[in-house]
Amino acid sequence: ETGVTQTPRHLVMGMTNKKSLKCEQHLGHNAMYWYKQSAKKPLELMFVYNFKEQTENNSVPSRFSPECPNSSHLFLHLHTLQPEDSALYLCASSQEYRDREAYEQYFGPGTRLTVT
Amino acid sequence: TQLLEQSPQFLSIQEGENLTVYCNSSSVFSSLQWYRQEPGEGPVLLVTVVTGGEVKKLKRLTFQFGDARKDSSLHITAAQPGDTGLYLCAGGPMRALNFGKGTSLLVTP
């Protein structure tokens, strides 16, 4: 496997279900991100992990719970979601440097989530 | 949150035509990135611009960062069907990138 992989690619879940999204990066990067992409809305940053520590949490509802066990893996645990949470969930990774202005983010293909 | 407005929202052109898409904000950005996203895939980084007035070329694509670092443009020369996709601009602190809604480009043979 190369780059950033995400599983599953498609997920349909009921509002009372509990599921998890998985992301794995094979690039040796030290930062990982979760984004939400909804129709007619800009890509929204949800969580950022750097060296396994959460550094950003953009006021995401508690029904979304991230987990980063190591610098290569990132999970998004889902429970009691709402229909408006249906979207494409994208994972990305990057290599952060203290003296660089910009980091190149590499995205996975996303998980298309439908909440019924 | 620093808002990024992209225009046009949709663009449908024929192969061989030239086009320009825009990314504008009222905020100053330390850097700005352009991505292309194809259906069923995640965005792929095309370029990063960091200096006001900077121009970067990637084959038939020309990217420009405004002098005041508040806007950027992407010009495509002689568009090809393979250029079809959603073009996204993003700026801001690297750990909190703000994305525009994108320009959806369709190039027909």
Side-chain angles (χ1 to χ4, degrees), chain A residues 9 37 42 45 48 56 96 101-105 107-108, chain B residues 30 33 35 37 40 42-43 45 48 94-97 99:
Chain A
R9 293 293 306 273
Q37 188 173 35
L45 178 65
V48 180
E56 298 284 342
E96 295 192 0
E101 190 66 39
Y103 313 135
E104 297 163 343
Q105 293 197 12
F107 284 83
Chain B
S30 56
Q33 300 183 330
Y35 293 80
Q37 184 177 18
L45 180 67
T48 301
M94 281 301 109
R95 289 187 183 174
L97 273 182
F99 281 80

mmCIF file with all atom_site columns, all heavy atoms in Angstrom, chain A residues 9 37 42 45 48 56 96 101-105 107-108, chain B residues 30 33 35 37 40 42-43 45 48 94-97 99:
data_model
loop_
_atom_site.group_PDB
_atom_site.id
_atom_site.type_symbol
_atom_site.label_atom_id
_atom_site.label_alt_id
_atom_site.label_comp_id
_atom_site.label_asym_id
_atom_site.label_entity_id
_atom_site.label_seq_id
_atom_site.pdbx_PDB_ins_code
_atom_site.Cartn_x
_atom_site.Cartn_y
_atom_site.Cartn_z
_atom_site.occupancy
_atom_site.B_iso_or_equiv
_atom_site.pdbx_formal_charge
_atom_site.auth_seq_id
_atom_site.auth_comp_id
_atom_site.auth_asym_id
_atom_site.auth_atom_id
_atom_site.pdbx_PDB_model_num
ATOM 1   N N   . ARG A 1 9   ? -14.626 2.391  2.229  1.00 0.00 ? 9   ARG A N   1
ATOM 2   C CA  . ARG A 1 9   ? -14.831 3.448  1.246  1.00 0.00 ? 9   ARG A CA  1
ATOM 3   C C   . ARG A 1 9   ? -16.273 3.956  1.292  1.00 0.00 ? 9   ARG A C   1
ATOM 4   O O   . ARG A 1 9   ? -16.536 5.114  1.008  1.00 0.00 ? 9   ARG A O   1
ATOM 5   C CB  . ARG A 1 9   ? -14.508 2.948  -0.154 1.00 0.00 ? 9   ARG A CB  1
ATOM 6   C CG  . ARG A 1 9   ? -13.034 2.622  -0.372 1.00 0.00 ? 9   ARG A CG  1
ATOM 7   C CD  . ARG A 1 9   ? -12.150 3.881  -0.314 1.00 0.00 ? 9   ARG A CD  1
ATOM 8   N NE  . ARG A 1 9   ? -12.589 4.913  -1.223 1.00 0.00 ? 9   ARG A NE  1
ATOM 9   C CZ  . ARG A 1 9   ? -12.219 4.992  -2.484 1.00 0.00 ? 9   ARG A CZ  1
ATOM 10  N NH1 . ARG A 1 9   ? -11.402 4.117  -3.006 1.00 0.00 ? 9   ARG A NH1 1
ATOM 11  N NH2 . ARG A 1 9   ? -12.659 5.997  -3.252 1.00 0.00 ? 9   ARG A NH2 1
ATOM 12  N N   . GLN A 1 37  ? -16.378 16.690 4.135  1.00 0.00 ? 37  GLN A N   1
ATOM 13  C CA  . GLN A 1 37  ? -16.725 17.352 2.884  1.00 0.00 ? 37  GLN A CA  1
ATOM 14  C C   . GLN A 1 37  ? -18.193 17.094 2.579  1.00 0.00 ? 37  GLN A C   1
ATOM 15  O O   . GLN A 1 37  ? -18.577 15.977 2.264  1.00 0.00 ? 37  GLN A O   1
ATOM 16  C CB  . GLN A 1 37  ? -15.842 16.859 1.728  1.00 0.00 ? 37  GLN A CB  1
ATOM 17  C CG  . GLN A 1 37  ? -16.038 17.665 0.446  1.00 0.00 ? 37  GLN A CG  1
ATOM 18  C CD  . GLN A 1 37  ? -15.049 17.284 -0.636 1.00 0.00 ? 37  GLN A CD  1
ATOM 19  O OE1 . GLN A 1 37  ? -14.663 16.130 -0.774 1.00 0.00 ? 37  GLN A OE1 1
ATOM 20  N NE2 . GLN A 1 37  ? -14.619 18.262 -1.438 1.00 0.00 ? 37  GLN A NE2 1
ATOM 21  N N   . PRO A 1 42  ? -17.606 24.226 1.997  1.00 0.00 ? 42  PRO A N   1
ATOM 22  C CA  . PRO A 1 42  ? -16.149 24.027 1.902  1.00 0.00 ? 42  PRO A CA  1
ATOM 23  C C   . PRO A 1 42  ? -15.714 22.832 2.745  1.00 0.00 ? 42  PRO A C   1
ATOM 24  O O   . PRO A 1 42  ? -16.412 22.442 3.696  1.00 0.00 ? 42  PRO A O   1
ATOM 25  C CB  . PRO A 1 42  ? -15.576 25.329 2.482  1.00 0.00 ? 42  PRO A CB  1
ATOM 26  C CG  . PRO A 1 42  ? -16.706 26.289 2.532  1.00 0.00 ? 42  PRO A CG  1
ATOM 27  C CD  . PRO A 1 42  ? -17.955 25.499 2.653  1.00 0.00 ? 42  PRO A CD  1
ATOM 28  N N   . LEU A 1 45  ? -12.164 21.281 8.403  1.00 0.00 ? 45  LEU A N   1
ATOM 29  C CA  . LEU A 1 45  ? -11.205 20.578 9.241  1.00 0.00 ? 45  LEU A CA  1
ATOM 30  C C   . LEU A 1 45  ? -11.888 20.176 10.539 1.00 0.00 ? 45  LEU A C   1
ATOM 31  O O   . LEU A 1 45  ? -12.547 20.993 11.192 1.00 0.00 ? 45  LEU A O   1
ATOM 32  C CB  . LEU A 1 45  ? -10.011 21.480 9.538  1.00 0.00 ? 45  LEU A CB  1
ATOM 33  C CG  . LEU A 1 45  ? -8.932  20.906 10.439 1.00 0.00 ? 45  LEU A CG  1
ATOM 34  C CD1 . LEU A 1 45  ? -8.239  19.717 9.777  1.00 0.00 ? 45  LEU A CD1 1
ATOM 35  C CD2 . LEU A 1 45  ? -7.910  21.984 10.791 1.00 0.00 ? 45  LEU A CD2 1
ATOM 36  N N   . VAL A 1 48  ? -6.868  17.553 14.205 1.00 0.00 ? 48  VAL A N   1
ATOM 37  C CA  . VAL A 1 48  ? -5.479  17.457 13.781 1.00 0.00 ? 48  VAL A CA  1
ATOM 38  C C   . VAL A 1 48  ? -4.694  16.755 14.883 1.00 0.00 ? 48  VAL A C   1
ATOM 39  O O   . VAL A 1 48  ? -4.855  17.071 16.061 1.00 0.00 ? 48  VAL A O   1
ATOM 40  C CB  . VAL A 1 48  ? -4.846  18.845 13.542 1.00 0.00 ? 48  VAL A CB  1
ATOM 41  C CG1 . VAL A 1 48  ? -3.399  18.684 13.089 1.00 0.00 ? 48  VAL A CG1 1
ATOM 42  C CG2 . VAL A 1 48  ? -5.645  19.641 12.531 1.00 0.00 ? 48  VAL A CG2 1
ATOM 43  N N   . GLU A 1 56  ? -5.662  20.243 17.310 1.00 0.00 ? 56  GLU A N   1
ATOM 44  C CA  . GLU A 1 56  ? -6.783  21.064 16.879 1.00 0.00 ? 56  GLU A CA  1
ATOM 45  C C   . GLU A 1 56  ? -8.072  20.262 17.009 1.00 0.00 ? 56  GLU A C   1
ATOM 46  O O   . GLU A 1 56  ? -8.095  19.069 16.752 1.00 0.00 ? 56  GLU A O   1
ATOM 47  C CB  . GLU A 1 56  ? -6.653  21.485 15.409 1.00 0.00 ? 56  GLU A CB  1
ATOM 48  C CG  . GLU A 1 56  ? -5.440  22.338 15.082 1.00 0.00 ? 56  GLU A CG  1
ATOM 49  C CD  . GLU A 1 56  ? -5.598  23.777 15.527 1.00 0.00 ? 56  GLU A CD  1
ATOM 50  O OE1 . GLU A 1 56  ? -6.733  24.197 15.778 1.00 0.00 ? 56  GLU A OE1 1
ATOM 51  O OE2 . GLU A 1 56  ? -4.562  24.453 15.643 1.00 0.00 ? 56  GLU A OE2 1
ATOM 52  N N   . GLU A 1 96  ? 5.329   17.938 9.209  1.00 0.00 ? 96  GLU A N   1
ATOM 53  C CA  . GLU A 1 96  ? 5.468   19.285 9.727  1.00 0.00 ? 96  GLU A CA  1
ATOM 54  C C   . GLU A 1 96  ? 6.920   19.555 10.102 1.00 0.00 ? 96  GLU A C   1
ATOM 55  O O   . GLU A 1 96  ? 7.592   18.721 10.690 1.00 0.00 ? 96  GLU A O   1
ATOM 56  C CB  . GLU A 1 96  ? 4.568   19.482 10.949 1.00 0.00 ? 96  GLU A CB  1
ATOM 57  C CG  . GLU A 1 96  ? 3.091   19.400 10.632 1.00 0.00 ? 96  GLU A CG  1
ATOM 58  C CD  . GLU A 1 96  ? 2.231   19.871 11.781 1.00 0.00 ? 96  GLU A CD  1
ATOM 59  O OE1 . GLU A 1 96  ? 2.775   20.256 12.820 1.00 0.00 ? 96  GLU A OE1 1
ATOM 60  O OE2 . GLU A 1 96  ? 0.995   19.859 11.621 1.00 0.00 ? 96  GLU A OE2 1
ATOM 61  N N   . GLU A 1 101 ? 7.066   27.196 6.126  1.00 0.00 ? 101 GLU A N   1
ATOM 62  C CA  . GLU A 1 101 ? 5.834   27.974 6.088  1.00 0.00 ? 101 GLU A CA  1
ATOM 63  C C   . GLU A 1 101 ? 4.635   27.121 5.727  1.00 0.00 ? 101 GLU A C   1
ATOM 64  O O   . GLU A 1 101 ? 3.535   27.334 6.211  1.00 0.00 ? 101 GLU A O   1
ATOM 65  C CB  . GLU A 1 101 ? 5.987   29.103 5.058  1.00 0.00 ? 101 GLU A CB  1
ATOM 66  C CG  . GLU A 1 101 ? 4.873   30.117 5.087  1.00 0.00 ? 101 GLU A CG  1
ATOM 67  C CD  . GLU A 1 101 ? 4.835   30.923 6.369  1.00 0.00 ? 101 GLU A CD  1
ATOM 68  O OE1 . GLU A 1 101 ? 5.917   31.283 6.872  1.00 0.00 ? 101 GLU A OE1 1
ATOM 69  O OE2 . GLU A 1 101 ? 3.733   31.175 6.873  1.00 0.00 ? 101 GLU A OE2 1
ATOM 70  N N   . ALA A 1 102 ? 4.831   26.170 4.849  1.00 0.00 ? 102 ALA A N   1
ATOM 71  C CA  . ALA A 1 102 ? 3.684   25.423 4.326  1.00 0.00 ? 102 ALA A CA  1
ATOM 72  C C   . ALA A 1 102 ? 3.957   23.931 4.356  1.00 0.00 ? 102 ALA A C   1
ATOM 73  O O   . ALA A 1 102 ? 5.076   23.496 4.105  1.00 0.00 ? 102 ALA A O   1
ATOM 74  C CB  . ALA A 1 102 ? 3.381   25.851 2.890  1.00 0.00 ? 102 ALA A CB  1
ATOM 75  N N   . TYR A 1 103 ? 2.941   23.169 4.689  1.00 0.00 ? 103 TYR A N   1
ATOM 76  C CA  . TYR A 1 103 ? 3.039   21.722 4.677  1.00 0.00 ? 103 TYR A CA  1
ATOM 77  C C   . TYR A 1 103 ? 2.191   21.180 3.543  1.00 0.00 ? 103 TYR A C   1
ATOM 78  O O   . TYR A 1 103 ? 1.071   21.605 3.351  1.00 0.00 ? 103 TYR A O   1
ATOM 79  C CB  . TYR A 1 103 ? 2.538   21.127 5.988  1.00 0.00 ? 103 TYR A CB  1
ATOM 80  C CG  . TYR A 1 103 ? 3.054   21.787 7.235  1.00 0.00 ? 103 TYR A CG  1
ATOM 81  C CD1 . TYR A 1 103 ? 2.190   22.080 8.282  1.00 0.00 ? 103 TYR A CD1 1
ATOM 82  C CD2 . TYR A 1 103 ? 4.398   22.110 7.380  1.00 0.00 ? 103 TYR A CD2 1
ATOM 83  C CE1 . TYR A 1 103 ? 2.640   22.672 9.434  1.00 0.00 ? 103 TYR A CE1 1
ATOM 84  C CE2 . TYR A 1 103 ? 4.855   22.713 8.530  1.00 0.00 ? 103 TYR A CE2 1
ATOM 85  C CZ  . TYR A 1 103 ? 3.979   22.991 9.561  1.00 0.00 ? 103 TYR A CZ  1
ATOM 86  O OH  . TYR A 1 103 ? 4.426   23.582 10.704 1.00 0.00 ? 103 TYR A OH  1
ATOM 87  N N   . GLU A 1 104 ? 2.707   20.217 2.829  1.00 0.00 ? 104 GLU A N   1
ATOM 88  C CA  . GLU A 1 104 ? 1.926   19.575 1.779  1.00 0.00 ? 104 GLU A CA  1
ATOM 89  C C   . GLU A 1 104 ? 1.078   18.486 2.402  1.00 0.00 ? 104 GLU A C   1
ATOM 90  O O   . GLU A 1 104 ? 1.607   17.599 3.072  1.00 0.00 ? 104 GLU A O   1
ATOM 91  C CB  . GLU A 1 104 ? 2.872   18.990 0.727  1.00 0.00 ? 104 GLU A CB  1
ATOM 92  C CG  . GLU A 1 104 ? 3.686   20.054 0.024  1.00 0.00 ? 104 GLU A CG  1
ATOM 93  C CD  . GLU A 1 104 ? 4.889   19.484 -0.700 1.00 0.00 ? 104 GLU A CD  1
ATOM 94  O OE1 . GLU A 1 104 ? 5.276   18.340 -0.407 1.00 0.00 ? 104 GLU A OE1 1
ATOM 95  O OE2 . GLU A 1 104 ? 5.437   20.188 -1.554 1.00 0.00 ? 104 GLU A OE2 1
ATOM 96  N N   . GLN A 1 105 ? -0.205  18.567 2.177  1.00 0.00 ? 105 GLN A N   1
ATOM 97  C CA  . GLN A 1 105 ? -1.108  17.573 2.730  1.00 0.00 ? 105 GLN A CA  1
ATOM 98  C C   . GLN A 1 105 ? -1.453  16.542 1.677  1.00 0.00 ? 105 GLN A C   1
ATOM 99  O O   . GLN A 1 105 ? -1.767  16.874 0.538  1.00 0.00 ? 105 GLN A O   1
ATOM 100 C CB  . GLN A 1 105 ? -2.379  18.230 3.264  1.00 0.00 ? 105 GLN A CB  1
ATOM 101 C CG  . GLN A 1 105 ? -2.128  19.102 4.478  1.00 0.00 ? 105 GLN A CG  1
ATOM 102 C CD  . GLN A 1 105 ? -3.379  19.428 5.251  1.00 0.00 ? 105 GLN A CD  1
ATOM 103 O OE1 . GLN A 1 105 ? -4.432  18.847 5.045  1.00 0.00 ? 105 GLN A OE1 1
ATOM 104 N NE2 . GLN A 1 105 ? -3.261  20.377 6.171  1.00 0.00 ? 105 GLN A NE2 1
ATOM 105 N N   . PHE A 1 107 ? -3.996  13.505 0.818  1.00 0.00 ? 107 PHE A N   1
ATOM 106 C CA  . PHE A 1 107 ? -5.319  13.031 1.205  1.00 0.00 ? 107 PHE A CA  1
ATOM 107 C C   . PHE A 1 107 ? -5.546  11.578 0.808  1.00 0.00 ? 107 PHE A C   1
ATOM 108 O O   . PHE A 1 107 ? -5.030  11.112 -0.217 1.00 0.00 ? 107 PHE A O   1
ATOM 109 C CB  . PHE A 1 107 ? -6.409  13.870 0.530  1.00 0.00 ? 107 PHE A CB  1
ATOM 110 C CG  . PHE A 1 107 ? -6.596  15.225 1.148  1.00 0.00 ? 107 PHE A CG  1
ATOM 111 C CD1 . PHE A 1 107 ? -5.770  16.288 0.794  1.00 0.00 ? 107 PHE A CD1 1
ATOM 112 C CD2 . PHE A 1 107 ? -7.603  15.452 2.076  1.00 0.00 ? 107 PHE A CD2 1
ATOM 113 C CE1 . PHE A 1 107 ? -5.944  17.545 1.357  1.00 0.00 ? 107 PHE A CE1 1
ATOM 114 C CE2 . PHE A 1 107 ? -7.789  16.705 2.641  1.00 0.00 ? 107 PHE A CE2 1
ATOM 115 C CZ  . PHE A 1 107 ? -6.944  17.748 2.280  1.00 0.00 ? 107 PHE A CZ  1
ATOM 116 N N   . GLY A 1 108 ? -6.354  10.892 1.597  1.00 0.00 ? 108 GLY A N   1
ATOM 117 C CA  . GLY A 1 108 ? -6.861  9.592  1.216  1.00 0.00 ? 108 GLY A CA  1
ATOM 118 C C   . GLY A 1 108 ? -8.073  9.745  0.318  1.00 0.00 ? 108 GLY A C   1
ATOM 119 O O   . GLY A 1 108 ? -8.524  10.873 0.069  1.00 0.00 ? 108 GLY A O   1
ATOM 120 N N   . SER B 2 30  ? -0.436  33.661 4.721  1.00 0.00 ? 30  SER B N   1
ATOM 121 C CA  . SER B 2 30  ? 1.010   33.454 4.646  1.00 0.00 ? 30  SER B CA  1
ATOM 122 C C   . SER B 2 30  ? 1.359   32.542 3.477  1.00 0.00 ? 30  SER B C   1
ATOM 123 O O   . SER B 2 30  ? 2.468   32.611 2.942  1.00 0.00 ? 30  SER B O   1
ATOM 124 C CB  . SER B 2 30  ? 1.520   32.870 5.961  1.00 0.00 ? 30  SER B CB  1
ATOM 125 O OG  . SER B 2 30  ? 0.830   31.674 6.262  1.00 0.00 ? 30  SER B OG  1
ATOM 126 N N   . GLN B 2 33  ? -2.616  27.267 -1.164 1.00 0.00 ? 33  GLN B N   1
ATOM 127 C CA  . GLN B 2 33  ? -2.423  26.033 -1.927 1.00 0.00 ? 33  GLN B CA  1
ATOM 128 C C   . GLN B 2 33  ? -3.602  25.816 -2.878 1.00 0.00 ? 33  GLN B C   1
ATOM 129 O O   . GLN B 2 33  ? -4.724  26.233 -2.594 1.00 0.00 ? 33  GLN B O   1
ATOM 130 C CB  . GLN B 2 33  ? -2.302  24.833 -0.979 1.00 0.00 ? 33  GLN B CB  1
ATOM 131 C CG  . GLN B 2 33  ? -1.122  24.950 -0.017 1.00 0.00 ? 33  GLN B CG  1
ATOM 132 C CD  . GLN B 2 33  ? -0.967  23.740 0.869  1.00 0.00 ? 33  GLN B CD  1
ATOM 133 O OE1 . GLN B 2 33  ? -1.932  23.079 1.205  1.00 0.00 ? 33  GLN B OE1 1
ATOM 134 N NE2 . GLN B 2 33  ? 0.273   23.435 1.245  1.00 0.00 ? 33  GLN B NE2 1
ATOM 135 N N   . TYR B 2 35  ? -5.534  22.619 -4.962 1.00 0.00 ? 35  TYR B N   1
ATOM 136 C CA  . TYR B 2 35  ? -5.718  21.178 -5.062 1.00 0.00 ? 35  TYR B CA  1
ATOM 137 C C   . TYR B 2 35  ? -6.689  20.874 -6.205 1.00 0.00 ? 35  TYR B C   1
ATOM 138 O O   . TYR B 2 35  ? -7.550  21.686 -6.535 1.00 0.00 ? 35  TYR B O   1
ATOM 139 C CB  . TYR B 2 35  ? -6.325  20.606 -3.773 1.00 0.00 ? 35  TYR B CB  1
ATOM 140 C CG  . TYR B 2 35  ? -5.445  20.659 -2.548 1.00 0.00 ? 35  TYR B CG  1
ATOM 141 C CD1 . TYR B 2 35  ? -5.300  21.824 -1.812 1.00 0.00 ? 35  TYR B CD1 1
ATOM 142 C CD2 . TYR B 2 35  ? -4.772  19.519 -2.124 1.00 0.00 ? 35  TYR B CD2 1
ATOM 143 C CE1 . TYR B 2 35  ? -4.509  21.857 -0.676 1.00 0.00 ? 35  TYR B CE1 1
ATOM 144 C CE2 . TYR B 2 35  ? -3.978  19.536 -0.988 1.00 0.00 ? 35  TYR B CE2 1
ATOM 145 C CZ  . TYR B 2 35  ? -3.856  20.713 -0.271 1.00 0.00 ? 35  TYR B CZ  1
ATOM 146 O OH  . TYR B 2 35  ? -3.072  20.746 0.852  1.00 0.00 ? 35  TYR B OH  1
ATOM 147 N N   . GLN B 2 37  ? -9.462  17.771 -7.166 1.00 0.00 ? 37  GLN B N   1
ATOM 148 C CA  . GLN B 2 37  ? -10.135 16.580 -6.668 1.00 0.00 ? 37  GLN B CA  1
ATOM 149 C C   . GLN B 2 37  ? -10.977 15.969 -7.781 1.00 0.00 ? 37  GLN B C   1
ATOM 150 O O   . GLN B 2 37  ? -11.826 16.639 -8.360 1.00 0.00 ? 37  GLN B O   1
ATOM 151 C CB  . GLN B 2 37  ? -11.023 16.925 -5.464 1.00 0.00 ? 37  GLN B CB  1
ATOM 152 C CG  . GLN B 2 37  ? -11.688 15.730 -4.810 1.00 0.00 ? 37  GLN B CG  1
ATOM 153 C CD  . GLN B 2 37  ? -12.503 16.112 -3.590 1.00 0.00 ? 37  GLN B CD  1
ATOM 154 O OE1 . GLN B 2 37  ? -12.857 17.275 -3.401 1.00 0.00 ? 37  GLN B OE1 1
ATOM 155 N NE2 . GLN B 2 37  ? -12.788 15.157 -2.742 1.00 0.00 ? 37  GLN B NE2 1
ATOM 156 N N   . GLY B 2 40  ? -14.784 10.651 -6.480 1.00 0.00 ? 40  GLY B N   1
ATOM 157 C CA  . GLY B 2 40  ? -14.444 9.427  -5.759 1.00 0.00 ? 40  GLY B CA  1
ATOM 158 C C   . GLY B 2 40  ? -13.042 9.403  -5.186 1.00 0.00 ? 40  GLY B C   1
ATOM 159 O O   . GLY B 2 40  ? -12.606 8.371  -4.668 1.00 0.00 ? 40  GLY B O   1
ATOM 160 N N   . GLY B 2 42  ? -9.704  11.756 -3.060 1.00 0.00 ? 42  GLY B N   1
ATOM 161 C CA  . GLY B 2 42  ? -9.384  12.907 -2.230 1.00 0.00 ? 42  GLY B CA  1
ATOM 162 C C   . GLY B 2 42  ? -8.648  13.965 -3.043 1.00 0.00 ? 42  GLY B C   1
ATOM 163 O O   . GLY B 2 42  ? -8.150  13.694 -4.132 1.00 0.00 ? 42  GLY B O   1
ATOM 164 N N   . PRO B 2 43  ? -8.571  15.196 -2.516 1.00 0.00 ? 43  PRO B N   1
ATOM 165 C CA  . PRO B 2 43  ? -7.840  16.258 -3.213 1.00 0.00 ? 43  PRO B CA  1
ATOM 166 C C   . PRO B 2 43  ? -6.353  15.922 -3.361 1.00 0.00 ? 43  PRO B C   1
ATOM 167 O O   . PRO B 2 43  ? -5.768  15.289 -2.478 1.00 0.00 ? 43  PRO B O   1
ATOM 168 C CB  . PRO B 2 43  ? -8.028  17.467 -2.301 1.00 0.00 ? 43  PRO B CB  1
ATOM 169 C CG  . PRO B 2 43  ? -9.220  17.158 -1.454 1.00 0.00 ? 43  PRO B CG  1
ATOM 170 C CD  . PRO B 2 43  ? -9.197  15.676 -1.275 1.00 0.00 ? 43  PRO B CD  1
ATOM 171 N N   . LEU B 2 45  ? -2.657  17.811 -4.082 1.00 0.00 ? 45  LEU B N   1
ATOM 172 C CA  . LEU B 2 45  ? -1.998  19.108 -4.098 1.00 0.00 ? 45  LEU B CA  1
ATOM 173 C C   . LEU B 2 45  ? -1.353  19.381 -5.453 1.00 0.00 ? 45  LEU B C   1
ATOM 174 O O   . LEU B 2 45  ? -0.629  18.539 -5.998 1.00 0.00 ? 45  LEU B O   1
ATOM 175 C CB  . LEU B 2 45  ? -0.928  19.167 -3.006 1.00 0.00 ? 45  LEU B CB  1
ATOM 176 C CG  . LEU B 2 45  ? -0.138  20.467 -2.905 1.00 0.00 ? 45  LEU B CG  1
ATOM 177 C CD1 . LEU B 2 45  ? -1.046  21.612 -2.456 1.00 0.00 ? 45  LEU B CD1 1
ATOM 178 C CD2 . LEU B 2 45  ? 1.041   20.309 -1.961 1.00 0.00 ? 45  LEU B CD2 1
ATOM 179 N N   . THR B 2 48  ? 1.907   25.138 -4.054 1.00 0.00 ? 48  THR B N   1
ATOM 180 C CA  . THR B 2 48  ? 1.872   26.023 -2.882 1.00 0.00 ? 48  THR B CA  1
ATOM 181 C C   . THR B 2 48  ? 2.567   27.318 -3.268 1.00 0.00 ? 48  THR B C   1
ATOM 182 O O   . THR B 2 48  ? 3.672   27.291 -3.818 1.00 0.00 ? 48  THR B O   1
ATOM 183 C CB  . THR B 2 48  ? 2.600   25.395 -1.690 1.00 0.00 ? 48  THR B CB  1
ATOM 184 O OG1 . THR B 2 48  ? 1.981   24.154 -1.359 1.00 0.00 ? 48  THR B OG1 1
ATOM 185 C CG2 . THR B 2 48  ? 2.542   26.316 -0.476 1.00 0.00 ? 48  THR B CG2 1
ATOM 186 N N   . MET B 2 94  ? -1.095  26.198 8.676  1.00 0.00 ? 94  MET B N   1
ATOM 187 C CA  . MET B 2 94  ? -1.079  24.880 8.083  1.00 0.00 ? 94  MET B CA  1
ATOM 188 C C   . MET B 2 94  ? -1.861  23.857 8.891  1.00 0.00 ? 94  MET B C   1
ATOM 189 O O   . MET B 2 94  ? -2.360  22.887 8.358  1.00 0.00 ? 94  MET B O   1
ATOM 190 C CB  . MET B 2 94  ? 0.360   24.410 7.890  1.00 0.00 ? 94  MET B CB  1
ATOM 191 C CG  . MET B 2 94  ? 1.008   25.024 6.683  1.00 0.00 ? 94  MET B CG  1
ATOM 192 S SD  . MET B 2 94  ? 0.113   24.653 5.158  1.00 0.00 ? 94  MET B SD  1
ATOM 193 C CE  . MET B 2 94  ? -0.570  26.235 4.774  1.00 0.00 ? 94  MET B CE  1
ATOM 194 N N   . ARG B 2 95  ? -1.966  24.052 10.208 1.00 0.00 ? 95  ARG B N   1
ATOM 195 C CA  . ARG B 2 95  ? -2.728  23.086 11.000 1.00 0.00 ? 95  ARG B CA  1
ATOM 196 C C   . ARG B 2 95  ? -4.218  23.408 10.985 1.00 0.00 ? 95  ARG B C   1
ATOM 197 O O   . ARG B 2 95  ? -4.999  22.700 11.611 1.00 0.00 ? 95  ARG B O   1
ATOM 198 C CB  . ARG B 2 95  ? -2.227  23.076 12.440 1.00 0.00 ? 95  ARG B CB  1
ATOM 199 C CG  . ARG B 2 95  ? -0.874  22.453 12.580 1.00 0.00 ? 95  ARG B CG  1
ATOM 200 C CD  . ARG B 2 95  ? -0.508  22.316 14.032 1.00 0.00 ? 95  ARG B CD  1
ATOM 201 N NE  . ARG B 2 95  ? 0.814   21.789 14.205 1.00 0.00 ? 95  ARG B NE  1
ATOM 202 C CZ  . ARG B 2 95  ? 1.408   21.675 15.371 1.00 0.00 ? 95  ARG B CZ  1
ATOM 203 N NH1 . ARG B 2 95  ? 0.783   22.057 16.461 1.00 0.00 ? 95  ARG B NH1 1
ATOM 204 N NH2 . ARG B 2 95  ? 2.623   21.179 15.473 1.00 0.00 ? 95  ARG B NH2 1
ATOM 205 N N   . ALA B 2 96  ? -4.600  24.483 10.327 1.00 0.00 ? 96  ALA B N   1
ATOM 206 C CA  . ALA B 2 96  ? -6.021  24.861 10.304 1.00 0.00 ? 96  ALA B CA  1
ATOM 207 C C   . ALA B 2 96  ? -6.343  25.462 8.954  1.00 0.00 ? 96  ALA B C   1
ATOM 208 O O   . ALA B 2 96  ? -6.835  26.571 8.865  1.00 0.00 ? 96  ALA B O   1
ATOM 209 C CB  . ALA B 2 96  ? -6.329  25.845 11.427 1.00 0.00 ? 96  ALA B CB  1
ATOM 210 N N   . LEU B 2 97  ? -6.059  24.713 7.882  1.00 0.00 ? 97  LEU B N   1
ATOM 211 C CA  . LEU B 2 97  ? -6.316  25.193 6.532  1.00 0.00 ? 97  LEU B CA  1
ATOM 212 C C   . LEU B 2 97  ? -7.788  25.510 6.338  1.00 0.00 ? 97  LEU B C   1
ATOM 213 O O   . LEU B 2 97  ? -8.656  24.744 6.753  1.00 0.00 ? 97  LEU B O   1
ATOM 214 C CB  . LEU B 2 97  ? -5.918  24.125 5.511  1.00 0.00 ? 97  LEU B CB  1
ATOM 215 C CG  . LEU B 2 97  ? -4.469  24.080 5.029  1.00 0.00 ? 97  LEU B CG  1
ATOM 216 C CD1 . LEU B 2 97  ? -4.313  22.972 3.997  1.00 0.00 ? 97  LEU B CD1 1
ATOM 217 C CD2 . LEU B 2 97  ? -4.028  25.406 4.455  1.00 0.00 ? 97  LEU B CD2 1
ATOM 218 N N   . PHE B 2 99  ? -10.537 26.036 3.381  1.00 0.00 ? 99  PHE B N   1
ATOM 219 C CA  . PHE B 2 99  ? -10.744 25.719 1.972  1.00 0.00 ? 99  PHE B CA  1
ATOM 220 C C   . PHE B 2 99  ? -11.883 26.549 1.407  1.00 0.00 ? 99  PHE B C   1
ATOM 221 O O   . PHE B 2 99  ? -12.859 26.866 2.104  1.00 0.00 ? 99  PHE B O   1
ATOM 222 C CB  . PHE B 2 99  ? -11.100 24.241 1.804  1.00 0.00 ? 99  PHE B CB  1
ATOM 223 C CG  . PHE B 2 99  ? -9.930  23.303 1.865  1.00 0.00 ? 99  PHE B CG  1
ATOM 224 C CD1 . PHE B 2 99  ? -9.398  22.919 3.079  1.00 0.00 ? 99  PHE B CD1 1
ATOM 225 C CD2 . PHE B 2 99  ? -9.353  22.813 0.704  1.00 0.00 ? 99  PHE B CD2 1
ATOM 226 C CE1 . PHE B 2 99  ? -8.312  22.057 3.147  1.00 0.00 ? 99  PHE B CE1 1
ATOM 227 C CE2 . PHE B 2 99  ? -8.271  21.949 0.744  1.00 0.00 ? 99  PHE B CE2 1
ATOM 228 C CZ  . PHE B 2 99  ? -7.750  21.566 1.968  1.00 0.00 ? 99  PHE B CZ  1
#
